[in-house]
Amino acid sequence: MALYDAVFEGGGAKGIAFLGSLEIFTQAGHSFRRLIGTSAGAITASLVAAGYRPDELAPIVLERLPDNRPRFLSFMDAPGREDFSDAIIQGSVLQAALRQVNIPFLGEAVEERIDRMLIDGLLRNRQFAELFSLAERGGIYAGNAFLAWIEEKFAAKGIEPADSFAEFHRKTGVDLSLVATDVTDASMLVLNHRTAPGLPVAVAVRMSMSIPFVWQEVAWLPDWGAYGGRDLAGHVIVDGGVLSNFPIRLLNVLDDHVRPIMGATDPGAAGTVGFLIDETLQVPGEPRESKTPSPISRLKMTHRVSGLLDTMMGAGDNEMIRLY
């Protein structure tokens, strides 16, 4: 039996694969000292920190909707009018284009009302709302269903939706960190009770899993307070995997950069365990790729973009993995 710091890798549905590893880990009597995760790994890390056992996580992962579809599919929720503030609409490309259209014999005030009615009407159409969301909020889906889901799961363990990192740490005693990316400052954020004590943990998970172009960006609200003493109000936050998909360095290094973020915790006083998937390994009995790949997957551009994203999200982390 031993005490470990644990890091959970990001990457879509990969978190499902960690359940078996967590089961073996806990059956061996090991326990966690610190938890850190990115994107899908942030979901797993936060649920473990909230008090979920591996046997409790399996039903969550396999949860079904009334029509028997996986509940995870509901996270691809279409945005509605309420997801776009008046400021976003007024500053949108569509609104700018409509302002260039002058209707004869109508005053400016009447034209503005017509423009607003037109945009409001268009936003009732799912396809248009998703395209508008992609253009103006950086992602197709709203992410509201996911936020409601993680708040629901936290509530089952006594964590309220508005509970900040400071309150979460007070209730659980767990040192939890989640990684996100500040697009405004082009910097990595490590969210925990030291750096962002006023930020709701549920919102932090939502930030960490906001895959660019898929889910809407999260704008940092003034009510959430500062990050490490810096005012981030209005900053755009997306998936932590953009800069660090497997932030193992934060658990294994204690220098002047890491200490204010992770505390003066001696890395050598506990082991380090990483939960990740080695995608270079062949799964016994499974083909290396789909037998019927889509035409899009054959395009050279698709491979280039995929390769660039993989390099961007994993190069630095892979170097740290090789060092350890």
Side-chain angles (χ1 to χ4, degrees):
M1 296 186 295
L3 186 65
Y4 285 89
D5 291 335
V7 54
F8 294 86
E9 181 192 26
K14 288 180 181 178
I16 297 173
F18 299 152
L19 299 185
S21 301
L22 280 169
E23 184 92 37
I24 299 300
F25 183 88
T26 55
Q27 285 178 356
H30 302 314
S31 58
F32 296 116
R33 181 179 66 165
R34 294 184 292 175
L35 297 164
I36 186 169
T38 299
S39 196
I43 301 172
T44 305
S46 64
L47 290 174
V48 171
Y52 280 92
R53 303 186 309 272
D55 62 307
E56 292 178 303
L57 290 174
I60 290 177
V61 170
L62 301 175
E63 191 174 359
R64 294 273 172 173
L65 295 167
D67 61 4
N68 205 38
R69 291 182 303 133
R71 187 171 178 185
F72 282 179
L73 292 179
S74 70
F75 298 166
M76 295 182 286
D77 50 334
R81 173 62 179 83
E82 65 280 2
D83 293 304
F84 307 106
S85 67
D86 289 342
I88 288 175
I89 290 178
Q90 288 297 317
S92 68
V93 174
L94 177 59
Q95 182 68 76
L98 290 174
R99 289 194 185 102
Q100 301 303 312
V101 179
N102 293 315
I103 304 176
F105 311 116
L106 291 182
E108 185 176 332
V110 176
E111 284 193 7
E112 287 183 359
R113 285 199 297 271
I114 292 174
D115 291 348
R116 176 60 60 84
M117 290 173 61
L118 177 61
I119 293 175
D120 286 349
L122 288 170
L123 287 174
R124 296 191 187 99
N125 176 272
R126 175 170 183 138
Q127 286 72 31
F128 177 85
E130 289 176 347
L131 288 173
F132 188 86
S133 179
L134 177 61
E136 304 299 336
R137 294 288 307 277
I140 296 172
Y141 305 116
N144 298 328
F146 171 79
L147 183 59
W149 176 82
I150 195 69
E151 289 177 344
E152 172 190 309
K153 301 312 173 190
F154 281 168
K157 292 296 183 179
I159 307 299
E160 299 301 321
D163 278 353
S164 65
F165 271 104
E167 184 65 12
F168 185 95
H169 184 257
R170 187 190 69 79
K171 287 184 175 181
T172 66
V174 178
D175 192 330
L176 171 68
S177 298
L178 307 177
V179 177
T181 300
D182 182 346
V183 175
T184 304
D185 268 355
S187 62
M188 184 173 79
L189 303 180
V190 183
L191 308 167
N192 55 43
H193 66 284
R194 288 172 292 272
T195 62
L199 177 67
V201 178
V203 173
V205 182
R206 168 70 178 84
M207 288 176 172
S208 186
M209 57 75 68
S210 300
I211 299 174
F213 311 124
V214 178
W215 281 285
Q216 290 182 353
E217 306 153 338
V218 179
W220 192 288
L221 299 181
D223 290 347
W224 299 337
Y227 170 81
R230 290 190 291 134
D231 181 12
L232 298 188
H235 283 216
V236 173
I237 316 298
V238 300
D239 194 313
V242 171
L243 293 179
S244 184
N245 210 37
F246 190 67
I248 192 171
R249 179 182 184 275
L250 294 169
L251 296 178
N252 286 286
V253 175
L254 186 61
D255 56 26
D256 290 340
H257 171 68
V258 172
R259 190 176 290 105
I261 297 172
M262 300 299 293
T265 304
D266 179 11
T272 300
V273 59
F275 293 84
L276 79 162
I277 296 175
D278 186 346
E279 297 175 353
T280 66
L281 298 178
Q282 174 70 16
V283 178
E286 292 295 325
R288 286 195 175 274
E289 63 179 7
S290 171
K291 295 180 180 179
T292 55
S294 68
I296 293 178
S297 68
R298 298 181 185 274
L299 295 176
K300 289 184 179 180
M301 184 181 71
T302 301
H303 288 285
R304 288 193 183 102
V305 172
S306 177
L308 284 170
L309 288 173
D310 288 343
T311 301
M312 175 184 69
M313 297 173 69
D317 294 331
N318 290 339
E319 186 63 28
M320 290 302 301
I321 292 171
R322 282 191 285 269
L323 289 174
Y324 292 96

